[in-house]
Every structure is written in structure tokens, then in C-alpha cells.
């Protein structure tokens, strides 16, 4: 009997152990812990087989999976996205879909897919659609009629667009008229730089009818005195932001807006920001900065001459920020001093491939004082002279700024 009990107990021991092992293995907490310790390479291999919706559910399992999923490149999502899923989302959420942004790469296929989705937004009341080309402007390679047809669907059916970003697209004057006819009471922001099929008359139609427009971005060749006066009319709300891109490829660069038109803008919208990006060659700056202009933020993406910077100091009293990519080998001492004297609101400046003597730079900082909240100057810009060396200048500049300052260093890799 004792032997039987011993035998029973000896048999029972391993069985209980097996049960305990099985129960431990089936413990959800332990399973999750084991999965959480999987190498990321294996997780990535598994996740690649999941459709987009399942990947979203998987990201909610634990913090580790969530962080892992968020750090994956966008291309991995695009490969897993099925067109039927997009149709399902549009069908189920069309009544409250308001914010849509399409970011396409350099392939025509991506732009075509974006247009196909746009054409499905028949029952949506969108507020802020955006079309963004992350590389080259692939929307411009589509048949114009295909793009306009898809965009018109949004313009006609939304009825309440407040923001529209359509840079680098083949939008044209007739489609803008459709936009105005259906959304004139709600449109507040319009970004349409590099849209070659739009004429000054087309953008003027928008300004004439969309009296609630507060932000506008366009190319310089679309600017006109009529547009500025329309934006300054009594019916129009004060403008907050006007961005103008001035590039070599645009026609009509010789057009010159009247000072009286700009004065009307300032009277109507005294706090508006006028942002200008210049991508011109030095011999193309002839008509610019001859008269006073209310520009607040000025960026020169290519080399600009001393003469032009001198005119900036004379005719840009509202200037807040100035960035000069390159100038050449002639010091900008006098030009900087003039800008400090005349531009009383200047609070940010950046200088790239330029030259300024250390003495002139210290004088510039001294004149501007602590209102210079951003001062980005490459060390190579500063030329030592009899008064200051490179080792001494940062102490003097820091004293006038009221904070520690050092020139930017060029990476050595």
C-alpha cells in the first residue's frame, strides 16, 4: 500500500508539473511578455503581411508595438493599403469627413491615385483639403482635364471649404470660378504657388468674391494693383498673411506694383505679414525695392547683390526677418548698418555665404539690441579686423544681446 501511494505520488508529481507548465504557458500575461520581447526584425516581417486596419489594431496591444508601428516609414503603410479600404472609409465616414491631405511622391501613379480618391468625395463636406507633392510636382504630369474634373467634385460638393492648399497643380481660372461659386462665404486660406494655368484675372476673381480670405500664397506674376485693392476693400476682412514667391521661371517679372496699392493694404490690414521668397539671379532684381514696400519677412534663396540689400535697408521699414543665402566676396558692412537704422522691427537675421567685418557686425547688434531674438551667422561670414578677433566677438555680441551667443559652425564631416 505504501509502495502504491509512493508510486501514485511519484506519478502525480510530474502530472502536476505538466499542468503547471501548461497553465504558465497559457497565461496571457506571459504570452504578451514573450511577444513583446520579439526582435523588431521579426515583428516587421510579421506586420508586413497585415492589412492597414489590422496594423492599427495591433498598435493598440501594448506600448512597445505602438511605438514600433509609429516609427515605420510611410511607404510600408501605402503598400498595405487596399483601394477597397479607402472606399469603405469614404462610404462609412463621408458625412463627417472634413480634413483630407494627399502627400504624393514623384510618381505619376501616386498623383493619379490621389485624383481617383478626390473624385469619390461626392457626399463629403470637406473643410481643409490639401494636395502636397513631396518631391517633384507630379500633379503637373497628369492630364489637365483629369485633375480638374477630380478637383471640381470637391469644389461643388463641399460647400464649406475654409482652407485649400493646391501648390504645384494644374488648377486653372475656370476651376477657381467653380470654387468661388460654391465656397465664397467660407474660404479663409488659399495656397496656390506654382500654378501656371492661373492668370491674374483668376486670382482676382477669388479676392473679389471671397471676402473672408485671411491668408493667401501665390507667385509674383499673379500680383496686381487690382488684387491689392480688392483685398483692401471695405467688404474684405483684414488680411493676416500674404506670401509671394518670386522665381525666375515666371513671366511678367517686370510688373511693378504701385506704392499707393501697398499703402491701401497697410491701412486696411495694418498687422498683416508680407512674406517674400526670392529665387532670382542678380540681373533680375531690377524692378524690386525701388520704392517702399511693406514686406515683413524676406528670404533670398540665391545670391543677392550689395546694391539690392542697400535698397532693402532704404525701402523695407516693416522688415521683421531677413535671410540672405549668399552675397559674394564684398563685405556687407554699410548695408547691415543701414538695415539696423531703418528697419526698427527687425528681430531675426540669418547670413550664409556672405562677408561682414567683426566691427560692423558688433555695431549692427548694438543698434538692434535685445530685440534680435534670432541671430544665425556662420563663423565664416565674420572677418576679423583691428578691433575684434573671432575669439573675442562672441563676448561682445553676447553683452549686447543679453544672452550667450556663438556663431554657427560648419560641420566638418
Amino acid at each position: 500500500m505504501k509502495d502504491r501511494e509512493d508510486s501514485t505520488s511519484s506519478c502525480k508529481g510530474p502530472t502536476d508539473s505538466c499542468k503547471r507548465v501548461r497553465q504558465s504557458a497559457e497565461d496571457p500575461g506571459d504570452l504578451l511578455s514573450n511577444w513583446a520581447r520579439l526582435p523588431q526584425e521579426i515583428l516587421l516581417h510579421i506586420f508586413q503581411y497585415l492589412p492597414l486596419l489590422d496594423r492599427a489594431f495591433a498598435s493598440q496591444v501594448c506600448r512597445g508595438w505602438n511605438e514600433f508601428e509609429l516609427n515605420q516609414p510611410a511607404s510600408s503603410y501605402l503598400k498595405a493599403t487596399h483601394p477597397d479600404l479607402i472606399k469603405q472609409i469614404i462610404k462609412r465616414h463621408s458625412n463627417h469627413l472634413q480634413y483630407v491631405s494627399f502627400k504624393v511622391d514623384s510618381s505619376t501613379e501616386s498623383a493619379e491615385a490621389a485624383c481617383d480618391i478626390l473624385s469619390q468625395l461626392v457626399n463629403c463636406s470637406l473643410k481643409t483639403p490639401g494636395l502636397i507633392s513631396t518631391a517633384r510636382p507630379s500633379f503637373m504630369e497628369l492630364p489637365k482635364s483629369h485633375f480638374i474634373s477630380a478637383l471640381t467634385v470637391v469644389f461643388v460638393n463641399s460647400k464649406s471649404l475654409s482652407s485649400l492648399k493646391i501648390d504645384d497643380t494644374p488648377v486653372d481660372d475656370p476651376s477657381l470660378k467653380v470654387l468661388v461659386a460654391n465656397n465664397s462665404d467660407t474660404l479663409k486660406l488659399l495656397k496656390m504657388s506654382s500654378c501656371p494655368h492661373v492668370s491674374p484675372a483668376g486670382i482676382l476673381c477669388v479676392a473679389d468674391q471671397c471676402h473672408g480670405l485671411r491668408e493667401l500664397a501665390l507667385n509674383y506674376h499673379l500680383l496686381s494693383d487690382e488684387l491689392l485693392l480688392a483685398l483692401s476693400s471695405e467688404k474684405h476682412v483684414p488680411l493676416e498673411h500674404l506670401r509671394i514667391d518670386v522665381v525666375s521661371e515666371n513671366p511678367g517679372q517686370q510688373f511693378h506694383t504701385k506704392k499707393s496699392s501697398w499703402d491701401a493694404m497697410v491701412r486696411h490690414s495694418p498687422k498683416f505679414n508680407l512674406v517674400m521668397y526670392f529665387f532670382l539671379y542678380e540681373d533680375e532684381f531690377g524692378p524690386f525695392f525701388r520704392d517702399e514696400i511693406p514686406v515683413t519677412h524676406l528670404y533670398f534663396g540665391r545670391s543677392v547683390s550689395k546694391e539690392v540689400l542697400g535698397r532693402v535697408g532704404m525701402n523695407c521699414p516693416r522688415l521683421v526677418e531677413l535671410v540672405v543665402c549668399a552675397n559674394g566676396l564684398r563685405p556687407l558692412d554699410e548695408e547691415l548698418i543701414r538695415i539696423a537704422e531703418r528697419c526698427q522691427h527687425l528681430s531675426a537675421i540669418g547670413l550664409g555665404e556672405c562677408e561682414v567685418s567683426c566691427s560692423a557686425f558688433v555695431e549692427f547688434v548694438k543698434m538692434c539690441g535685445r530685440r534680435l531674438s534670432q541671430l544665425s551667422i556662420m563663423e565664416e561670414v565674420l572677418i576679423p579686423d583691428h578691433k575684434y578677433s573671432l575669439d573675442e566677438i562672441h563676448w561682445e555680441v553676447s553683452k549686447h544681446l543679453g544672452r550667450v551667443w556663438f556663431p554657427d559652425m560648419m560641420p566638418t564631416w
Side-chain angles (χ1 to χ4, degrees):
M1 189 72 178
K2 183 177 181 182
D3 292 341
R4 184 180 299 176
E5 289 177 357
D6 293 342
S7 175
T8 302
S9 62
S10 64
C11 292
K12 184 178 180 181
T15 303
D16 291 342
S17 299
C18 291
K19 288 181 179 179
R20 285 195 298 270
V21 170
R22 188 180 300 114
Q23 289 172 356
S24 176
E26 292 175 354
D27 187 350
D30 290 344
L31 279 174
L32 183 58
S33 177
N34 291 335
W35 273 91
R37 288 198 294 266
L38 279 177
Q40 290 194 352
E41 294 80 6
I42 297 178
L43 275 179
L44 178 60
H45 185 72
I46 295 172
F47 280 19
Q48 284 179 342
Y49 291 97
L50 295 178
L52 183 62
L53 201 56
D54 290 341
R55 290 176 66 165
F57 289 138
S59 68
Q60 301 176 31
V61 171
C62 63
R63 179 179 296 179
W65 282 19
N66 180 266
E67 293 176 352
F68 170 78
E69 186 69 2
L70 290 177
N71 288 331
Q72 298 312 305
S75 59
S76 63
Y77 288 92
L78 295 176
K79 292 177 181 177
T81 305
H82 195 279
D84 291 341
L85 176 60
I86 297 175
K87 291 181 180 179
Q88 183 181 1
I89 293 174
I90 295 174
K91 182 179 179 180
R92 297 179 64 178
H93 302 283
S94 60
N95 291 333
H96 54 270
L97 191 63
Q98 296 183 356
Y99 308 97
V100 177
S101 179
F102 297 92
K103 292 185 178 181
V104 300
D105 56 23
S106 58
S107 66
T108 306
E109 291 78 8
S110 296
E112 289 177 347
C115 287
D116 290 340
I117 297 172
L118 276 177
S119 62
Q120 299 176 42
L121 304 178
V122 177
N123 299 316
C124 300
S125 296
L126 296 182
K127 292 186 179 298
T128 61
L131 303 176
I132 303 170
S133 299
T134 57
R136 60 192 177 95
S138 51
F139 285 110
M140 295 300 299
E141 299 179 359
L142 297 178
K144 181 183 172 184
S145 58
H146 178 41
F147 177 84
I148 296 299
S149 175
L151 195 62
T152 301
V153 169
V154 176
F155 290 170
V156 170
N157 292 283
S158 292
K159 305 293 185 182
S160 58
L161 289 178
S162 62
S163 172
L164 181 62
K165 300 178 182 180
I166 47 175
D167 296 334
D168 299 298
T169 63
V171 62
D172 58 8
D173 289 359
S175 58
L176 288 182
K177 290 183 179 179
V178 176
L179 168 68
V180 169
N182 293 276
N183 302 272
S184 61
D185 294 334
T186 58
L187 191 64
K188 297 180 180 180
L189 181 150
L190 178 59
K191 292 185 65 177
M192 47 175 298
S193 295
S194 301
C195 296
H197 300 294
V198 175
S199 71
I203 192 63
L204 179 59
C205 172
V206 176
D208 274 336
Q209 302 297 322
C210 300
H211 298 144
L213 195 65
R214 295 182 180 275
E215 297 187 36
L216 179 62
L218 70 163
N219 282 64
Y220 181 77
H221 74 281
L222 297 179
L223 193 65
S224 65
D225 290 307
E226 292 79 10
L227 176 63
L228 295 178
L229 294 176
L231 294 172
S232 307
S233 68
E234 294 182 358
K235 297 180 180 179
H236 207 287
V237 300
L239 198 68
E240 296 176 0
H241 194 92
L242 176 60
R243 168 175 169 161
I244 300 174
D245 292 345
V246 190
V247 298
S248 294
E249 292 77 10
N250 287 151
Q253 299 286 62
Q254 297 301 316
F255 167 75
H256 182 63
T257 50
K258 298 177 181 177
K259 183 179 181 298
S260 58
S261 302
W262 286 119
D263 290 342
M265 272 290 297
V266 174
R267 286 194 299 270
H268 183 262
S269 307
K271 297 182 179 180
F272 90 105
N273 290 318
L274 174 57
V275 183
M276 300 187 74
Y277 285 81
F278 282 85
F279 296 92
L280 300 179
Y281 296 104
E282 288 193 15
D283 58 352
E284 297 178 301
F285 278 97
F288 297 99
F289 307 111
R290 297 289 182 183
D291 297 316
E292 188 173 298
I293 181 172
V295 61
T296 55
H297 299 73
L298 190 53
Y299 306 93
F300 293 103
R302 293 176 182 167
S303 180
V304 58
S305 67
K306 283 171 60 70
E307 179 188 1
V308 172
L309 289 175
R311 299 204 299 261
V312 168
M314 293 295 295
N315 296 311
C316 302
R318 297 178 77 239
L319 191 63
V320 173
E321 181 177 11
L322 173 65
V323 176
V324 180
C325 176
N327 166 258
L329 300 178
R330 299 174 60 192
L332 298 177
D333 295 4
E334 296 178 1
E335 289 72 23
L336 273 186
I337 298 301
R338 181 178 300 168
I339 289 172
E341 289 176 345
R342 307 271 299 188
C343 305
Q344 297 293 317
H345 303 285
L346 187 70
S347 61
I349 187 169
L351 298 179
E353 298 179 11
C354 309
E355 286 191 358
V356 180
S357 71
C358 288
S359 296
F361 181 66
V362 170
E363 183 63 22
F364 167 80
V365 175
K366 182 179 179 180
M367 295 174 68
C368 294
R370 300 191 178 190
R371 61 184 169 91
L372 280 178
S373 59
Q374 298 182 33
L375 187 59
S376 179
I377 310 295
M378 298 301 298
E379 187 179 50
E380 292 77 8
V381 170
L382 301 172
I383 307 301
D385 52 23
H386 66 282
K387 201 167 183 180
Y388 299 104
S389 66
L390 289 178
D391 294 331
E392 298 169 332
I393 191 171
H394 77 90
W395 292 107
E396 193 68 21
V397 171
S398 299
K399 180 179 68 176
H400 295 299
L401 290 178
R403 64 181 187 274
V404 177
W405 178 86
F406 287 93
D408 297 334
M409 303 289 291
M410 182 69 72
T412 56
W413 27 255

